[in-house]
Amino acid sequence: IAPCKNSGDYQERLLLLPRSYQINDHAQLYSNLLTELTSQPRAGRTSSEMHAFQANHLKIANFNQLMKVSPDIFAVWCGAMRRTTGVQLLLLTGVTSVHVAYPFAARNLRAEFALQGVRLWRLQHASVMRKPSHLVRAAGCHVGVDTLSYNSHTTGSDSLWAGLPILTLPGRSFSS
């Protein structure tokens, strides 16, 4: 997770793991589900929560906790959506590790969407789900969009495991 060119910034010697992005907990692997997901055509992937998405629209998603979504990156997403018809954004509105929903966050997101000039039907709320259901939901989207000041880590790995490509940029800090 640290680029080799930055090795001089650390007192520790970097451990290089070829062909690895991030070490993940082996208990979180769902090989049977992943096999099933990769054998299905993307258009046929569904989840009970995906019903609000319209079939002919590009589905973008961010499954990071909302504290990682800064006003500037939210404005970038909204600006892109204003310029591109039919894109829908799925955002997580809860904390996954403790399975807590944030109803006020959903309300605030809708208000900010309206202020940004994006129609509300284009915002979908992703509720907290157990890992297998979440992976199916992620597989039903077309592209993940990442936050910048604190990039996705495990969340991003989950999306990649589900076959969801992620649009991101490296930052200057460890967390980005």
Side-chain angles (χ1 to χ4, degrees), residues 16-79:
L16 304 178
L17 301 171
R19 297 176 305 277
S20 293
Y21 160 69
Q22 175 180 323
I23 299 173
N24 286 294
D25 182 357
H26 72 281
Q28 293 190 31
L29 292 180
Y30 294 90
S31 58
N32 60 330
L33 178 63
L34 297 174
T35 301
E36 182 181 321
L37 288 174
T38 56
S39 68
Q40 298 175 26
R42 183 166 289 278
R45 297 176 184 178
T46 60
S47 163
S48 60
E49 193 172 75
M50 299 301 284
H51 72 280
F53 275 130
Q54 297 183 13
N56 59 342
H57 291 133
L58 179 68
K59 301 162 193 73
I60 63 175
N62 179 282
F63 297 114
N64 291 323
Q65 293 184 43
L66 287 177
M67 66 182 182
K68 293 183 179 184
V69 180
S70 62
D72 57 338
I73 195 65
F74 191 78
V76 167
W77 296 342
C78 289

Side-chain angles (χ1 to χ4, degrees), residues 38-149:
T38 56
S39 68
Q40 298 175 26
R42 183 166 289 278
R45 297 176 184 178
T46 60
S47 163
S48 60
E49 193 172 75
M50 299 301 284
H51 72 280
F53 275 130
Q54 297 183 13
N56 59 342
H57 291 133
L58 179 68
K59 301 162 193 73
I60 63 175
N62 179 282
F63 297 114
N64 291 323
Q65 293 184 43
L66 287 177
M67 66 182 182
K68 293 183 179 184
V69 180
S70 62
D72 57 338
I73 195 65
F74 191 78
V76 167
W77 296 342
C78 289
M81 292 177 75
R82 281 193 309 273
R83 291 186 301 278
T84 309
T85 60
V87 175
Q88 290 183 285
L89 174 64
L90 181 66
L91 288 177
L92 186 67
T93 52
V95 179
T96 53
S97 59
V98 291
H99 294 275
V100 173
Y102 287 147
F104 293 115
R107 181 200 67 199
N108 293 344
L109 286 169
R110 287 190 299 273
E112 188 61 28
F113 236 55
L115 285 172
Q116 293 280 342
V118 181
R119 294 182 179 238
L120 293 180
W121 68 267
R122 298 175 75 183
L123 174 64
Q124 301 299 317
H125 302 289
S127 60
V128 175
M129 296 178 154
R130 297 208 175 276
K131 183 77 68 144
S133 298
H134 169 66
L135 292 176
V136 170
R137 171 178 59 195
C141 296
H142 294 107
V143 67
V145 290
D146 201 3
T147 55
L148 299 181
S149 60

